[in-house]
Amino acid sequence: AGALTLLQRKLNKPFFVMNGDILTNIHYEKMLDFHESHNADATMCVRAYDFEVPYGVVNLNNEEITSVEEKPTHSFFVNAGIYLLEPDCINLIPKNEFYDMTSLFEKAIAEKYKAISFPLLEYWLDIGRIDEYKKANQDVDQLI
């Protein structure tokens, strides 16, 4: 987010920011419509992410076992690295220092800006890891 303070001219419309290692076929128009219809200041794309614990999870109350869950799956929403911001959000970013998008959203929330999530249902892949990059090379023909 820190690089946004380097913009030469003041923006007057919402704008997208996206991590450079994301491959997606998101419908940006739908995200913009969602952002505007919710009168949001900052919108973050989120994706469902499931994590399966490979063991039986033992729930305890002190030393007493209260239950056992065999290989449970926990579901989370994770940051998909795609954002839509109102121009005033740039004012929240300190100049001349590293500042990531997560910090910007935390500050926006603390300052009572309206920060919302947009569920990303389309294809999405973080190609910052070599195994995901290889998968992207296999998938790209189907996306075009």
Side-chain angles (χ1 to χ4, degrees), residues 16 25-38 43 45 84 116-122:
F16 288 93
N25 62 358
I26 184 175
H27 297 282
Y28 292 99
E29 302 86 9
K30 288 182 182 178
M31 185 176 175
L32 178 60
D33 290 344
F34 187 85
H35 174 86
E36 290 176 337
S37 70
H38 286 81
T43 301
C45 272
L84 184 54
I116 65 170
S117 64
F118 177 75
L120 179 62
L121 304 175
E122 293 84 8

Side-chain angles (χ1 to χ4, degrees), residues 8-65:
Q8 298 280 323
R9 58 188 164 109
K10 185 166 173 55
L11 301 176
N12 58 12
K13 294 181 181 178
F15 63 96
F16 288 93
V17 178
M18 182 173 156
N19 294 1
D21 58 356
I22 301 297
L23 181 62
T24 184
N25 62 358
I26 184 175
H27 297 282
Y28 292 99
E29 302 86 9
K30 288 182 182 178
M31 185 176 175
L32 178 60
D33 290 344
F34 187 85
H35 174 86
E36 290 176 337
S37 70
H38 286 81
N39 295 314
D41 295 304
T43 301
M44 177 189 293
C45 272
V46 297
R47 268 194 75 72
Y49 180 81
D50 295 332
F51 175 76
E52 183 179 318
V53 178
Y55 309 103
V57 173
V58 180
N59 297 303
L60 303 173
N61 181 6
N62 295 319
E63 68 281 344
E64 183 179 343
I65 297 173

Side-chain angles (χ1 to χ4, degrees), residues 2-142:
L4 295 174
T5 63
L6 300 174
L7 290 171
Q8 298 280 323
R9 58 188 164 109
K10 185 166 173 55
L11 301 176
N12 58 12
K13 294 181 181 178
F15 63 96
F16 288 93
V17 178
M18 182 173 156
N19 294 1
D21 58 356
I22 301 297
L23 181 62
T24 184
N25 62 358
I26 184 175
H27 297 282
Y28 292 99
E29 302 86 9
K30 288 182 182 178
M31 185 176 175
L32 178 60
D33 290 344
F34 187 85
H35 174 86
E36 290 176 337
S37 70
H38 286 81
N39 295 314
D41 295 304
T43 301
M44 177 189 293
C45 272
V46 297
R47 268 194 75 72
Y49 180 81
D50 295 332
F51 175 76
E52 183 179 318
V53 178
Y55 309 103
V57 173
V58 180
N59 297 303
L60 303 173
N61 181 6
N62 295 319
E63 68 281 344
E64 183 179 343
I65 297 173
T66 58
S67 64
V68 179
E69 299 173 70
E70 188 58 36
K71 299 181 182 173
T73 298
H74 296 277
S75 296
F76 306 93
F77 284 104
V78 297
N79 179 353
I82 304 168
Y83 315 92
L84 184 54
L85 304 172
E86 291 295 322
D88 287 346
C89 289
I90 295 174
N91 298 330
L92 298 172
I93 304 169
K95 294 185 188 309
N96 301 318
E97 68 179 74
F98 176 81
Y99 204 72
D100 60 27
M101 290 300 289
T102 306
S103 297
L104 175 58
F105 270 79
E106 289 172 351
K107 187 166 186 182
I109 293 163
E111 297 283 333
K112 306 294 185 214
Y113 282 59
K114 187 171 184 182
I116 65 170
S117 64
F118 177 75
L120 179 62
L121 304 175
E122 293 84 8
Y123 180 89
W124 177 92
L125 194 60
D126 177 349
I127 59 173
R129 296 188 335 240
I130 193 66
D131 57 328
E132 299 297 338
Y133 175 76
K134 289 178 181 175
K135 181 175 179 359
N137 281 306
Q138 294 171 350
D139 293 350
V140 75
D141 290 335
Q142 298 170 8

